[in-house]
mmCIF file of all heavy atoms in Angstrom:
data_model
loop_
_atom_site.group_PDB
_atom_site.id
_atom_site.type_symbol
_atom_site.label_atom_id
_atom_site.label_comp_id
_atom_site.label_asym_id
_atom_site.label_seq_id
_atom_site.Cartn_x
_atom_site.Cartn_y
_atom_site.Cartn_z
ATOM 1 N N GLN G 1 -34.542 101.618 98.300
ATOM 2 C CA GLN G 1 -33.708 101.040 97.242
ATOM 3 C C GLN G 1 -32.217 101.290 97.508
ATOM 4 O O GLN G 1 -31.396 100.465 97.207
ATOM 5 C CB GLN G 1 -34.116 101.658 95.894
ATOM 6 C CG GLN G 1 -33.462 101.017 94.685
ATOM 7 C CD GLN G 1 -34.084 99.688 94.332
ATOM 8 O OE1 GLN G 1 -35.169 99.354 94.784
ATOM 9 N NE2 GLN G 1 -33.412 98.922 93.528
ATOM 10 N N GLN G 2 -31.874 102.436 98.081
ATOM 11 C CA GLN G 2 -30.478 102.755 98.322
ATOM 12 C C GLN G 2 -29.932 102.027 99.545
ATOM 13 O O GLN G 2 -28.732 101.953 99.729
ATOM 14 C CB GLN G 2 -30.311 104.260 98.510
ATOM 15 C CG GLN G 2 -30.618 105.053 97.266
ATOM 16 C CD GLN G 2 -30.668 106.538 97.538
ATOM 17 O OE1 GLN G 2 -30.603 106.973 98.675
ATOM 18 N NE2 GLN G 2 -30.792 107.326 96.494
ATOM 19 N N LEU G 3 -30.799 101.516 100.408
ATOM 20 C CA LEU G 3 -30.367 100.864 101.634
ATOM 21 C C LEU G 3 -30.343 99.353 101.525
ATOM 22 O O LEU G 3 -30.206 98.669 102.519
ATOM 23 C CB LEU G 3 -31.296 101.276 102.784
ATOM 24 C CG LEU G 3 -31.262 102.738 103.143
ATOM 25 C CD1 LEU G 3 -32.323 103.048 104.170
ATOM 26 C CD2 LEU G 3 -29.892 103.123 103.656
ATOM 27 N N SER G 4 -30.523 98.829 100.340
ATOM 28 C CA SER G 4 -30.511 97.387 100.185
ATOM 29 C C SER G 4 -29.774 97.025 98.915
ATOM 30 O O SER G 4 -29.676 97.819 97.995
ATOM 31 C CB SER G 4 -31.935 96.846 100.141
ATOM 32 O OG SER G 4 -32.595 97.323 98.994
ATOM 33 N N GLY G 5 -29.243 95.829 98.897
ATOM 34 C CA GLY G 5 -28.597 95.358 97.685
ATOM 35 C C GLY G 5 -27.272 94.692 97.954
ATOM 36 O O GLY G 5 -26.762 94.670 99.076
ATOM 37 N N PHE G 6 -26.755 94.116 96.902
ATOM 38 C CA PHE G 6 -25.480 93.418 96.943
ATOM 39 C C PHE G 6 -24.472 94.128 96.056
ATOM 40 O O PHE G 6 -24.840 94.791 95.095
ATOM 41 C CB PHE G 6 -25.651 91.992 96.398
ATOM 42 C CG PHE G 6 -26.344 91.042 97.333
ATOM 43 C CD1 PHE G 6 -27.640 90.651 97.095
ATOM 44 C CD2 PHE G 6 -25.693 90.517 98.426
ATOM 45 C CE1 PHE G 6 -28.278 89.761 97.939
ATOM 46 C CE2 PHE G 6 -26.311 89.627 99.276
ATOM 47 C CZ PHE G 6 -27.616 89.245 99.028
ATOM 48 N N HIS G 7 -23.211 93.964 96.402
ATOM 49 C CA HIS G 7 -22.105 94.361 95.529
ATOM 50 C C HIS G 7 -21.327 93.115 95.173
ATOM 51 O O HIS G 7 -21.089 92.255 96.027
ATOM 52 C CB HIS G 7 -21.182 95.357 96.222
ATOM 53 C CG HIS G 7 -21.692 96.757 96.200
ATOM 54 N ND1 HIS G 7 -20.941 97.820 96.615
ATOM 55 C CD2 HIS G 7 -22.874 97.284 95.808
ATOM 56 C CE1 HIS G 7 -21.641 98.934 96.493
ATOM 57 N NE2 HIS G 7 -22.809 98.631 96.010
ATOM 58 N N LEU G 8 -20.912 93.029 93.922
ATOM 59 C CA LEU G 8 -20.077 91.927 93.456
ATOM 60 C C LEU G 8 -18.621 92.361 93.488
ATOM 61 O O LEU G 8 -18.273 93.431 92.985
ATOM 62 C CB LEU G 8 -20.449 91.541 92.018
ATOM 63 C CG LEU G 8 -21.730 90.762 91.850
ATOM 64 C CD1 LEU G 8 -22.116 90.715 90.387
ATOM 65 C CD2 LEU G 8 -21.564 89.364 92.392
ATOM 66 N N ILE G 9 -17.778 91.544 94.102
ATOM 67 C CA ILE G 9 -16.344 91.850 94.176
ATOM 68 C C ILE G 9 -15.583 90.653 93.628
ATOM 69 O O ILE G 9 -15.597 89.611 94.270
ATOM 70 C CB ILE G 9 -15.927 92.135 95.636
ATOM 71 C CG1 ILE G 9 -16.797 93.232 96.234
ATOM 72 C CG2 ILE G 9 -14.447 92.498 95.710
ATOM 73 C CD1 ILE G 9 -16.675 93.364 97.727
ATOM 74 N N PRO G 10 -14.946 90.718 92.504
ATOM 75 C CA PRO G 10 -14.904 91.780 91.496
ATOM 76 C C PRO G 10 -16.196 91.810 90.682
ATOM 77 O O PRO G 10 -16.909 90.809 90.630
ATOM 78 C CB PRO G 10 -13.718 91.380 90.613
ATOM 79 C CG PRO G 10 -13.661 89.896 90.719
ATOM 80 C CD PRO G 10 -14.132 89.563 92.104
ATOM 81 N N PRO G 11 -16.493 92.939 90.015
ATOM 82 C CA PRO G 11 -17.757 93.064 89.287
ATOM 83 C C PRO G 11 -17.809 92.265 87.985
ATOM 84 O O PRO G 11 -18.863 92.135 87.391
ATOM 85 C CB PRO G 11 -17.863 94.563 89.004
ATOM 86 C CG PRO G 11 -16.476 95.069 89.095
ATOM 87 C CD PRO G 11 -15.755 94.186 90.061
ATOM 88 N N ARG G 12 -16.682 91.736 87.529
ATOM 89 C CA ARG G 12 -16.643 90.902 86.316
ATOM 90 C C ARG G 12 -15.536 89.882 86.470
ATOM 91 O O ARG G 12 -14.617 90.068 87.268
ATOM 92 C CB ARG G 12 -16.439 91.755 85.068
ATOM 93 C CG ARG G 12 -15.077 92.408 84.974
ATOM 94 C CD ARG G 12 -14.984 93.429 83.878
ATOM 95 N NE ARG G 12 -15.891 94.537 84.034
ATOM 96 C CZ ARG G 12 -15.668 95.583 84.814
ATOM 97 N NH1 ARG G 12 -14.563 95.660 85.505
ATOM 98 N NH2 ARG G 12 -16.525 96.568 84.902
ATOM 99 N N MET G 13 -15.622 88.798 85.689
ATOM 100 C CA MET G 13 -14.633 87.739 85.790
ATOM 101 C C MET G 13 -13.998 87.514 84.426
ATOM 102 O O MET G 13 -14.655 87.028 83.505
ATOM 103 C CB MET G 13 -15.303 86.468 86.295
ATOM 104 C CG MET G 13 -14.357 85.458 86.811
ATOM 105 S SD MET G 13 -15.268 84.257 87.755
ATOM 106 C CE MET G 13 -13.961 83.645 88.729
ATOM 107 N N MET G 14 -12.728 87.879 84.305
ATOM 108 C CA MET G 14 -11.963 87.672 83.081
ATOM 109 C C MET G 14 -10.972 86.536 83.342
ATOM 110 O O MET G 14 -10.048 86.694 84.136
ATOM 111 C CB MET G 14 -11.206 88.944 82.685
ATOM 112 C CG MET G 14 -12.084 90.158 82.542
ATOM 113 S SD MET G 14 -13.275 89.950 81.237
ATOM 114 C CE MET G 14 -14.023 91.538 81.201
ATOM 115 N N LEU G 15 -11.177 85.408 82.685
ATOM 116 C CA LEU G 15 -10.369 84.225 82.972
ATOM 117 C C LEU G 15 -9.154 84.077 82.062
ATOM 118 O O LEU G 15 -8.326 83.218 82.304
ATOM 119 C CB LEU G 15 -11.256 82.976 82.890
ATOM 120 C CG LEU G 15 -12.377 82.939 83.930
ATOM 121 C CD1 LEU G 15 -13.343 81.824 83.618
ATOM 122 C CD2 LEU G 15 -11.805 82.775 85.312
ATOM 123 N N GLY G 16 -9.052 84.874 81.017
ATOM 124 C CA GLY G 16 -7.887 84.818 80.139
ATOM 125 C C GLY G 16 -7.938 83.638 79.187
ATOM 126 O O GLY G 16 -9.001 83.190 78.764
ATOM 127 N N VAL G 17 -6.772 83.082 78.860
ATOM 128 C CA VAL G 17 -6.671 81.969 77.909
ATOM 129 C C VAL G 17 -6.671 80.660 78.689
ATOM 130 O O VAL G 17 -5.862 80.470 79.602
ATOM 131 C CB VAL G 17 -5.395 82.100 77.044
ATOM 132 C CG1 VAL G 17 -5.285 80.932 76.081
ATOM 133 C CG2 VAL G 17 -5.405 83.417 76.284
ATOM 134 N N LEU G 18 -7.572 79.746 78.308
ATOM 135 C CA LEU G 18 -7.723 78.466 78.986
ATOM 136 C C LEU G 18 -7.427 77.327 78.019
ATOM 137 O O LEU G 18 -7.691 77.432 76.829
ATOM 138 C CB LEU G 18 -9.146 78.306 79.526
ATOM 139 C CG LEU G 18 -9.712 79.466 80.351
ATOM 140 C CD1 LEU G 18 -11.148 79.170 80.735
ATOM 141 C CD2 LEU G 18 -8.862 79.703 81.573
ATOM 142 N N LYS G 19 -6.900 76.224 78.534
ATOM 143 C CA LYS G 19 -6.597 75.041 77.725
ATOM 144 C C LYS G 19 -7.850 74.184 77.601
ATOM 145 O O LYS G 19 -8.522 73.900 78.595
ATOM 146 C CB LYS G 19 -5.480 74.238 78.381
ATOM 147 C CG LYS G 19 -5.052 73.033 77.599
ATOM 148 C CD LYS G 19 -3.949 72.294 78.317
ATOM 149 C CE LYS G 19 -3.604 71.024 77.575
ATOM 150 N NZ LYS G 19 -2.627 70.229 78.303
ATOM 151 N N GLU G 20 -8.152 73.766 76.393
ATOM 152 C CA GLU G 20 -9.341 72.948 76.146
ATOM 153 C C GLU G 20 -9.261 71.624 76.898
ATOM 154 O O GLU G 20 -8.220 71.000 76.977
ATOM 155 C CB GLU G 20 -9.483 72.683 74.648
ATOM 156 C CG GLU G 20 -10.737 71.914 74.295
ATOM 157 C CD GLU G 20 -10.862 71.623 72.809
ATOM 158 O OE1 GLU G 20 -9.888 71.842 72.073
ATOM 159 O OE2 GLU G 20 -11.935 71.166 72.409
ATOM 160 N N GLY G 21 -10.394 71.237 77.509
ATOM 161 C CA GLY G 21 -10.460 69.974 78.227
ATOM 162 C C GLY G 21 -10.124 70.079 79.705
ATOM 163 O O GLY G 21 -10.217 69.096 80.424
ATOM 164 N N CYS G 22 -9.752 71.242 80.179
ATOM 165 C CA CYS G 22 -9.401 71.429 81.592
ATOM 166 C C CYS G 22 -10.522 72.198 82.305
ATOM 167 O O CYS G 22 -11.298 72.901 81.687
ATOM 168 C CB CYS G 22 -8.085 72.196 81.732
ATOM 169 S SG CYS G 22 -6.681 71.314 81.078
ATOM 170 N N THR G 23 -10.559 72.049 83.619
ATOM 171 C CA THR G 23 -11.539 72.747 84.442
ATOM 172 C C THR G 23 -10.826 73.824 85.255
ATOM 173 O O THR G 23 -9.781 73.561 85.850
ATOM 174 C CB THR G 23 -12.256 71.765 85.393
ATOM 175 O OG1 THR G 23 -12.881 70.754 84.603
ATOM 176 C CG2 THR G 23 -13.299 72.472 86.218
ATOM 177 N N TYR G 24 -11.400 75.012 85.269
ATOM 178 C CA TYR G 24 -10.841 76.148 85.993
ATOM 179 C C TYR G 24 -11.911 76.707 86.926
ATOM 180 O O TYR G 24 -13.103 76.550 86.676
ATOM 181 C CB TYR G 24 -10.392 77.242 85.019
ATOM 182 C CG TYR G 24 -9.310 76.796 84.075
ATOM 183 C CD1 TYR G 24 -9.627 76.173 82.869
ATOM 184 C CD2 TYR G 24 -7.970 76.981 84.379
ATOM 185 C CE1 TYR G 24 -8.640 75.759 81.999
ATOM 186 C CE2 TYR G 24 -6.968 76.575 83.512
ATOM 187 C CZ TYR G 24 -7.313 75.962 82.318
ATOM 188 O OH TYR G 24 -6.343 75.550 81.472
ATOM 189 N N ALA G 25 -11.478 77.364 87.991
ATOM 190 C CA ALA G 25 -12.429 77.936 88.946
ATOM 191 C C ALA G 25 -11.919 79.279 89.458
ATOM 192 O O ALA G 25 -10.714 79.528 89.507
ATOM 193 C CB ALA G 25 -12.652 76.988 90.118
ATOM 194 N N GLY G 26 -12.854 80.113 89.828
ATOM 195 C CA GLY G 26 -12.556 81.409 90.429
ATOM 196 C C GLY G 26 -13.646 81.758 91.419
ATOM 197 O O GLY G 26 -14.739 81.196 91.375
ATOM 198 N N THR G 27 -13.347 82.685 92.323
ATOM 199 C CA THR G 27 -14.296 83.055 93.367
ATOM 200 C C THR G 27 -14.710 84.508 93.226
ATOM 201 O O THR G 27 -13.876 85.376 92.977
ATOM 202 C CB THR G 27 -13.667 82.830 94.756
ATOM 203 O OG1 THR G 27 -13.267 81.471 94.862
ATOM 204 C CG2 THR G 27 -14.650 83.143 95.860
ATOM 205 N N VAL G 28 -16.004 84.747 93.397
ATOM 206 C CA VAL G 28 -16.572 86.097 93.407
ATOM 207 C C VAL G 28 -17.281 86.259 94.747
ATOM 208 O O VAL G 28 -17.938 85.341 95.233
ATOM 209 C CB VAL G 28 -17.564 86.293 92.244
ATOM 210 C CG1 VAL G 28 -18.261 87.634 92.345
ATOM 211 C CG2 VAL G 28 -16.858 86.165 90.919
ATOM 212 N N ILE G 29 -17.134 87.422 95.365
ATOM 213 C CA ILE G 29 -17.772 87.700 96.655
ATOM 214 C C ILE G 29 -19.032 88.518 96.410
ATOM 215 O O ILE G 29 -19.007 89.514 95.689
ATOM 216 C CB ILE G 29 -16.811 88.444 97.591
ATOM 217 C CG1 ILE G 29 -15.640 87.529 97.948
ATOM 218 C CG2 ILE G 29 -17.528 88.916 98.843
ATOM 219 C CD1 ILE G 29 -14.548 88.210 98.718
ATOM 220 N N LEU G 30 -20.125 88.081 97.014
ATOM 221 C CA LEU G 30 -21.399 88.779 96.963
ATOM 222 C C LEU G 30 -21.632 89.364 98.346
ATOM 223 O O LEU G 30 -21.893 88.642 99.300
ATOM 224 C CB LEU G 30 -22.508 87.791 96.578
ATOM 225 C CG LEU G 30 -23.879 88.343 96.292
ATOM 226 C CD1 LEU G 30 -23.848 89.242 95.059
ATOM 227 C CD2 LEU G 30 -24.860 87.213 96.079
ATOM 228 N N LYS G 31 -21.473 90.699 98.471
ATOM 229 C CA LYS G 31 -21.527 91.358 99.779
ATOM 230 C C LYS G 31 -22.829 92.141 99.930
ATOM 231 O O LYS G 31 -23.208 92.912 99.058
ATOM 232 C CB LYS G 31 -20.341 92.303 99.944
ATOM 233 C CG LYS G 31 -20.296 92.946 101.306
ATOM 234 C CD LYS G 31 -19.018 93.701 101.529
ATOM 235 C CE LYS G 31 -19.001 94.221 102.951
ATOM 236 N NZ LYS G 31 -17.725 94.764 103.322
ATOM 237 N N ASN G 32 -23.503 91.939 101.067
ATOM 238 C CA ASN G 32 -24.734 92.662 101.378
ATOM 239 C C ASN G 32 -24.356 94.024 101.953
ATOM 240 O O ASN G 32 -23.811 94.122 103.040
ATOM 241 C CB ASN G 32 -25.573 91.872 102.383
ATOM 242 C CG ASN G 32 -26.895 92.544 102.696
ATOM 243 O OD1 ASN G 32 -27.162 93.659 102.283
ATOM 244 N ND2 ASN G 32 -27.729 91.854 103.443
ATOM 245 N N VAL G 33 -24.657 95.094 101.199
ATOM 246 C CA VAL G 33 -24.319 96.448 101.637
ATOM 247 C C VAL G 33 -25.538 97.184 102.181
ATOM 248 O O VAL G 33 -25.485 98.384 102.422
ATOM 249 C CB VAL G 33 -23.677 97.261 100.488
ATOM 250 C CG1 VAL G 33 -22.340 96.679 100.108
ATOM 251 C CG2 VAL G 33 -24.605 97.337 99.288
ATOM 252 N N GLY G 34 -26.632 96.458 102.394
ATOM 253 C CA GLY G 34 -27.855 97.064 102.907
ATOM 254 C C GLY G 34 -27.937 97.001 104.419
ATOM 255 O O GLY G 34 -26.973 96.660 105.108
ATOM 256 N N VAL G 35 -29.131 97.324 104.955
ATOM 257 C CA VAL G 35 -29.358 97.319 106.393
ATOM 258 C C VAL G 35 -30.228 96.149 106.837
ATOM 259 O O VAL G 35 -30.451 95.963 108.023
ATOM 260 C CB VAL G 35 -29.991 98.651 106.862
ATOM 261 C CG1 VAL G 35 -29.034 99.803 106.656
ATOM 262 C CG2 VAL G 35 -31.313 98.907 106.168
ATOM 263 N N ASP G 36 -30.752 95.352 105.907
ATOM 264 C CA ASP G 36 -31.575 94.183 106.204
ATOM 265 C C ASP G 36 -30.930 92.947 105.601
ATOM 266 O O ASP G 36 -30.065 93.050 104.733
ATOM 267 C CB ASP G 36 -32.977 94.332 105.596
ATOM 268 C CG ASP G 36 -33.778 95.443 106.237
ATOM 269 O OD1 ASP G 36 -33.599 95.666 107.447
ATOM 270 O OD2 ASP G 36 -34.569 96.092 105.523
#
Protein backbone atom coordinates (compact mmCIF):
# COMPACT_ATOMS: atom_id res chain seq x y z
CA GLN A 1 0.00 0.00 0.00
CA GLN A 2 2.86 2.41 0.75
CA LEU A 3 4.59 1.68 -2.57
CA SER A 4 1.67 2.52 -4.81
CA GLY A 5 -0.63 5.42 -5.37
CA PHE A 6 -1.07 8.84 -6.82
CA HIS A 7 -0.52 12.33 -5.47
CA LEU A 8 -2.65 15.25 -6.61
CA ILE A 9 -0.78 18.50 -7.24
CA PRO A 10 -2.43 20.75 -6.00
CA PRO A 11 -4.56 18.64 -3.62
CA ARG A 12 -7.59 20.97 -4.02
CA MET A 13 -8.85 23.46 -6.57
CA MET A 14 -10.08 26.86 -5.39
CA LEU A 15 -11.30 28.87 -8.37
CA GLY A 16 -12.37 32.04 -6.55
CA VAL A 17 -15.11 34.31 -7.92
CA LEU A 18 -16.37 33.46 -11.42
CA LYS A 19 -18.66 35.41 -13.77
CA GLU A 20 -21.92 33.67 -14.62
CA GLY A 21 -22.14 32.35 -18.17
CA CYS A 22 -18.37 32.02 -18.70
CA THR A 23 -16.23 28.90 -18.91
CA TYR A 24 -13.07 28.55 -16.82
CA ALA A 25 -10.41 25.84 -16.71
CA GLY A 26 -7.56 24.74 -14.48
CA THR A 27 -5.04 21.91 -14.48
CA VAL A 28 -4.31 19.35 -11.77
CA ILE A 29 -1.38 16.93 -11.99
CA LEU A 30 -1.89 13.29 -11.03
CA LYS A 31 1.57 11.88 -10.25
CA ASN A 32 2.34 8.17 -9.78
CA VAL A 33 4.56 7.94 -6.68
CA GLY A 34 4.61 4.14 -6.62
CA VAL A 35 6.97 1.54 -8.10
CA ASP A 36 4.48 -0.02 -10.57
